[in-house]
Coordinates of all heavy atoms in Angstrom, one line a residue:
A1 N 15.6 -14.9 1.1 CA 14.8 -14.7 -0.1 C 13.4 -14.6 0.3 O 12.6 -13.7 -0.2 CB 15.0 -15.8 -1.0
K2 N 13.0 -15.4 1.3 CA 11.5 -15.4 1.8 C 11.2 -14.1 2.4 O 10.1 -13.4 2.2 CB 11.3 -16.6 2.8 CG 9.8 -16.6 3.2 CD 9.7 -17.9 4.1 CE 8.3 -18.0 4.7 NZ 8.1 -19.1 5.6
K3 N 12.1 -13.6 3.3 CA 12.0 -12.3 3.9 C 11.9 -11.2 2.9 O 11.1 -10.3 3.0 CB 13.1 -12.1 5.0 CG 13.0 -13.0 6.2 CD 11.8 -12.9 7.1 CE 11.8 -13.7 8.2 NZ 10.5 -13.6 9.0
E4 N 12.8 -11.3 2.0 CA 12.7 -10.3 0.9 C 11.4 -10.2 0.2 O 10.9 -9.2 -0.2 CB 14.0 -10.5 -0.1 CG 15.3 -10.1 0.5 CD 16.4 -10.4 -0.4 OE1 16.1 -11.0 -1.5 OE2 17.6 -10.0 -0.1
R5 N 10.9 -11.5 -0.1 CA 9.6 -11.5 -0.8 C 8.5 -10.9 0.1 O 7.7 -10.2 -0.4 CB 9.3 -13.0 -1.1 CG 10.1 -13.6 -2.3 CD 9.5 -14.9 -2.9 NE 9.4 -15.9 -1.8 CZ 10.4 -16.8 -1.5 NH1 11.6 -16.7 -2.2 NH2 10.2 -17.7 -0.6
E6 N 8.6 -11.3 1.4 CA 7.6 -10.8 2.3 C 7.7 -9.2 2.4 O 6.7 -8.5 2.4 CB 7.8 -11.3 3.8 CG 7.4 -12.8 3.9 CD 7.6 -13.3 5.2 OE1 8.1 -12.5 6.2 OE2 7.2 -14.5 5.5
I7 N 9.0 -8.7 2.4 CA 9.2 -7.3 2.5 C 8.6 -6.7 1.2 O 8.0 -5.6 1.2 CB 10.6 -6.9 2.6 CG1 11.1 -7.4 4.0 CG2 11.0 -5.5 2.4 CD1 12.6 -7.4 4.3
E8 N 8.8 -7.3 0.0 CA 8.3 -6.8 -1.2 C 6.8 -6.8 -1.2 O 6.1 -5.8 -1.7 CB 8.9 -7.6 -2.4 CG 10.4 -7.5 -2.6 CD 10.7 -6.1 -3.0 OE1 9.9 -5.4 -3.7 OE2 11.8 -5.7 -2.7
G9 N 6.2 -7.9 -0.6 CA 4.8 -7.9 -0.5 C 4.3 -6.9 0.4 O 3.2 -6.2 0.1
L10 N 4.9 -6.7 1.6 CA 4.4 -5.6 2.5 C 4.5 -4.3 1.8 O 3.7 -3.4 2.0 CB 5.2 -5.7 3.8 CG 5.0 -7.0 4.7 CD1 5.9 -7.0 5.8 CD2 3.5 -6.9 5.1
K11 N 5.7 -4.1 1.1 CA 5.9 -2.8 0.4 C 4.8 -2.6 -0.6 O 4.2 -1.5 -0.7 CB 7.2 -2.8 -0.3 CG 8.4 -2.6 0.6 CD 9.7 -2.5 -0.2 CE 10.9 -2.2 0.7 NZ 12.2 -2.1 -0.1
A12 N 4.4 -3.7 -1.4 CA 3.3 -3.6 -2.3 C 2.0 -3.3 -1.6 O 1.3 -2.4 -2.1 CB 3.2 -4.9 -3.1
Q13 N 1.7 -4.0 -0.5 CA 0.5 -3.7 0.2 C 0.5 -2.3 0.8 O -0.5 -1.6 0.8 CB 0.4 -4.7 1.4 CG 0.1 -6.1 1.0 CD 0.0 -7.1 2.1 OE1 0.1 -6.7 3.3 NE2 -0.2 -8.4 1.9
N14 N 1.6 -1.9 1.3 CA 1.7 -0.5 1.8 C 1.5 0.5 0.8 O 0.8 1.5 0.9 CB 3.1 -0.4 2.5 CG 3.2 0.9 3.3 OD1 2.2 1.5 3.7 ND2 4.4 1.4 3.5
D15 N 2.1 0.3 -0.4 CA 1.9 1.2 -1.6 C 0.5 1.1 -2.0 O -0.1 2.2 -2.3 CB 2.8 0.7 -2.7 CG 4.3 0.9 -2.4 OD1 4.5 1.7 -1.5 OD2 5.1 0.1 -3.1
K16 N -0.2 0.0 -1.9 CA -1.6 -0.2 -2.2 C -2.5 0.6 -1.2 O -3.4 1.3 -1.6 CB -2.1 -1.6 -2.4 CG -3.5 -1.8 -2.9 CD -3.8 -3.2 -3.0 CE -5.3 -3.4 -3.5 NZ -5.7 -4.7 -3.6
A17 N -2.1 0.3 0.0 CA -2.9 1.0 1.1 C -2.7 2.5 1.0 O -3.7 3.3 1.2 CB -2.4 0.5 2.5
D18 N -1.5 2.9 0.7 CA -1.3 4.4 0.6 C -2.1 4.9 -0.5 O -2.7 6.0 -0.5 CB 0.3 4.7 0.4 CG 1.0 4.4 1.6 OD1 0.5 4.4 2.7 OD2 2.3 4.2 1.5
L19 N -2.1 4.1 -1.7 CA -2.8 4.6 -2.8 C -4.3 4.6 -2.5 O -5.1 5.6 -2.8 CB -2.6 3.6 -4.0 CG -3.3 3.9 -5.3 CD1 -3.0 5.3 -5.8 CD2 -3.0 2.9 -6.3
D20 N -4.9 3.5 -1.8 CA -6.3 3.5 -1.4 C -6.6 4.6 -0.5 O -7.7 5.3 -0.6 CB -6.7 2.2 -0.8 CG -6.6 1.0 -1.7 OD1 -6.6 1.2 -3.0 OD2 -6.4 -0.1 -1.3
K21 N -5.6 4.9 0.5 CA -5.9 6.0 1.4 C -5.9 7.3 0.7 O -6.7 8.2 0.9 CB -4.7 6.0 2.4 CG -4.9 7.0 3.6 CD -3.8 6.9 4.6 CE -4.0 7.9 5.7 NZ -2.8 7.7 6.7
K22 N -5.0 7.5 -0.3 CA -5.0 8.8 -1.1 C -6.3 8.9 -1.8 O -6.8 10.0 -1.9 CB -3.7 8.7 -2.0 CG -2.4 9.0 -1.2 CD -1.3 8.9 -2.2 CE 0.1 9.1 -1.5 NZ 1.2 9.1 -2.3
L23 N -6.7 7.7 -2.5 CA -7.9 7.8 -3.2 C -9.2 8.1 -2.3 O -10.0 8.8 -2.7 CB -8.1 6.4 -3.9 CG -7.2 6.1 -5.1 CD1 -7.4 4.7 -5.6 CD2 -7.3 7.1 -6.2
S24 N -9.2 7.4 -1.1 CA -10.3 7.7 -0.2 C -10.3 9.1 0.3 O -11.4 9.8 0.3 CB -10.2 6.8 1.1 OG -10.2 5.4 0.7
I25 N -9.1 9.6 0.5 CA -9.0 11.0 1.0 C -9.4 11.9 -0.1 O -10.2 12.9 0.1 CB -7.6 11.4 1.4 CG1 -7.2 10.6 2.7 CG2 -7.4 12.9 1.7 CD1 -5.8 10.7 3.2
S26 N -9.1 11.6 -1.3 CA -9.4 12.3 -2.5 C -11.0 12.4 -2.7 O -11.6 13.4 -2.9 CB -8.6 11.9 -3.7 OG -9.1 12.6 -4.9
D27 N -11.5 11.1 -2.6 CA -13.0 10.9 -2.7 C -13.7 11.8 -1.6 O -14.7 12.5 -1.9 CB -13.4 9.5 -2.7 CG -12.8 8.8 -3.9 OD1 -12.6 9.4 -4.9 OD2 -12.8 7.5 -3.8
A28 N -13.2 11.5 -0.4 CA -13.9 12.3 0.8 C -13.7 13.7 0.6 O -14.7 14.5 0.9 CB -13.2 11.8 2.1
T29 N -12.6 14.2 0.2 CA -12.4 15.6 0.0 C -13.3 16.1 -1.1 O -13.9 17.2 -0.9 CB -10.9 15.8 -0.4 OG1 -10.1 15.4 0.7 CG2 -10.7 17.4 -0.4
S30 N -13.4 15.4 -2.2 CA -14.3 15.7 -3.3 C -15.7 15.8 -2.8 O -16.4 16.7 -3.1 CB -14.1 14.8 -4.5 OG -15.0 15.1 -5.5
T31 N -16.2 14.7 -2.1 CA -17.5 14.7 -1.6 C -17.8 15.9 -0.6 O -18.9 16.5 -0.7 CB -17.8 13.4 -0.8 OG1 -17.5 12.3 -1.8 CG2 -19.3 13.3 -0.4

């Protein structure tokens, strides 16, 4: 259960990082 929670956390972080990356790329591209 702990590993699943960690995996879920990592997935959430990864999703957030992907989102931030996409946003950064979008901002950089726009700039």
Side-chain angles (χ1 to χ4, degrees):
K2 183 179 179 181
K3 292 296 182 182
E4 287 179 353
R5 288 194 300 272
E6 290 180 357
I7 291 171
E8 291 297 329
L10 291 174
K11 284 182 178 180
Q13 291 179 1
N14 190 23
D15 293 339
K16 184 179 179 182
D18 290 340
L19 181 60
D20 293 340
K21 186 176 180 181
K22 289 179 180 179
L23 291 174
S24 299
I25 292 172
S26 177
D27 293 340
T29 304
S30 177
T31 304

